[in-house]
Amino acid sequence: MILFFIPFALFILFFINTMTNSLCLQRDIPEERQPKVFRTINVLVTILLISSYVEVSFT
């Protein structure tokens, strides 16, 4: 199960970061705020991925 989930999680994080970059460019977010936007989104997505892994593993 974990052999499937880790590549899937990495793909999701890469795809979300690509979409976040597009959002920053489209909304003209200043460069000094962009790291905070990326960090917030990455932390939230990581929490979602961990919770989904725990749910799938232990149910």
Side-chain angles (χ1 to χ4, degrees):
M1 178 68 176
I2 198 165
L3 293 176
F4 169 74
F5 200 80
I6 288 177
F8 176 72
L10 292 174
F11 172 75
I12 293 295
L13 282 171
F14 175 76
F15 191 69
I16 293 294
N17 279 330
T18 304
M19 290 192 311
T20 304
N21 188 36
S22 297
L23 172 75
C24 288
L25 293 175
Q26 187 178 36
R27 297 289 179 186
D28 295 327
I29 296 175
E31 285 198 29
E32 49 281 345
R33 288 192 60 212
Q34 286 183 14
K36 184 177 179 182
V37 171
F38 274 94
R39 188 178 320 112
T40 303
I41 291 175
N42 282 335
V43 166
L44 294 174
V45 169
T46 303
I47 291 170
L48 285 172
L49 287 169
I50 290 171
S51 66
S52 66
Y53 175 73
V54 168
E55 182 179 345
V56 168
S57 293
F58 298 113
T59 31

